[in-house]
């Protein structure tokens, strides 16, 4: 994989990402490289800041979740499958009740925790051909989008945890930032 994943503690993960334009050089190649990095690290989503690019771009392929939930309808499963690209995304609304789902992050290996978020979103974005979409999305796909979208705002899923949980995780997070972590994909650490 061409780009290492930035680890927790890297300052770029805390920056608010900027919009891009269709003439950005190398955009299509970058999107392909992001999917490659995501698949090689067994992720279901990857945001550009995680590979050191502070731009509003994230990619998702949530197919692994389709086999996980037995209550899911075929139509819901189909929605999860396939490569999805979100450029200059803006979440316009978040609705419905809050629900817990266990999240993880390629930038925070070895930590998985329940995060509470609203069940539905309305999102405006451009696809990789710069066609504009406004969609209402719910369920697991909404969840993955909310997580990736947070990366564009400099927010990580651990920020959503209770202060008690954060204290419990502090040492693990410090270790990740120092590179003291077992991981089977390439990472870049702020201090090592
Ligand atoms: Ni993440």
């Amino acid at each position: 994989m061409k780009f290492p994943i930035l680890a927790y503690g890297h300052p770029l993960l805390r920056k608010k990402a900027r919009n891009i334009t269709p003439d950005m050089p190398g955009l299509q190649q970058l999107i392909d490289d992001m999917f490659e990095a995501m698949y090689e690290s067994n992720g279901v989503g990857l945001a550009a800041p995680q590979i050191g690019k502070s731009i509003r771009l994230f990619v998702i392929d949530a197919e692994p979740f389709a086999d996980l939930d037995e209550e899911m309808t075929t139509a819901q499963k189909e929605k999860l499958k396939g490569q999805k690209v979100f450029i200059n995304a803006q979440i316009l609304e978040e609705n419905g009740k809050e629900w817990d789902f266990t999240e993880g992050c390629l930038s925070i290996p070895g930590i998985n925790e329940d995060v509470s978020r609203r069940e539905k979103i309305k999102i405006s974005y451009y696809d990789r051909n710069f066609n504009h979409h406004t969609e209402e999305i719910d369920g697991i796909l909404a969840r993955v989008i909310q997580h990736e979208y947070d990366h564009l705002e400099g927010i990580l899923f651990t920020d959503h945890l209770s202060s008690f949980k954060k204290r419990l995780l502090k040492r693990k997070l410090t270790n990740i930032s120092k590179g003291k972590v077992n991981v089977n994909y390439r990472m870049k650490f702020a201090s090592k």
Side-chain angles (χ1 to χ4, degrees), residues 34-45:
M34 283 176 65
F35 275 116
E36 187 199 38
M38 187 188 83
Y39 291 130
E40 279 187 27
S41 48
N42 291 313
V44 292

Side-chain angles (χ1 to χ4, degrees), residues 45 50 104-108 147-148 151 156-157:
Q50 292 180 277
C105 182
L106 294 175
S107 295
I108 315 176
H147 176 113
E148 298 311 325
H151 279 297
L156 301 170
F157 83 89

Side-chain angles (χ1 to χ4, degrees), residues 172-186:
K172 265 192 179 178
L173 289 170
T174 305
N175 282 342
I176 292 171
S177 68
K178 289 177 178 167
K180 290 186 214 161
V181 63
N182 269 328
V183 64
N184 58 7
Y185 49 88
R186 274 176 72 209

Side-chain angles (χ1 to χ4, degrees), residues 3 48 61 81 102 105-106 108 118 139:
F3 297 102
D61 185 344
K81 292 180 181 174
T102 308
C105 182
L106 294 175
I108 315 176
R118 292 197 183 277

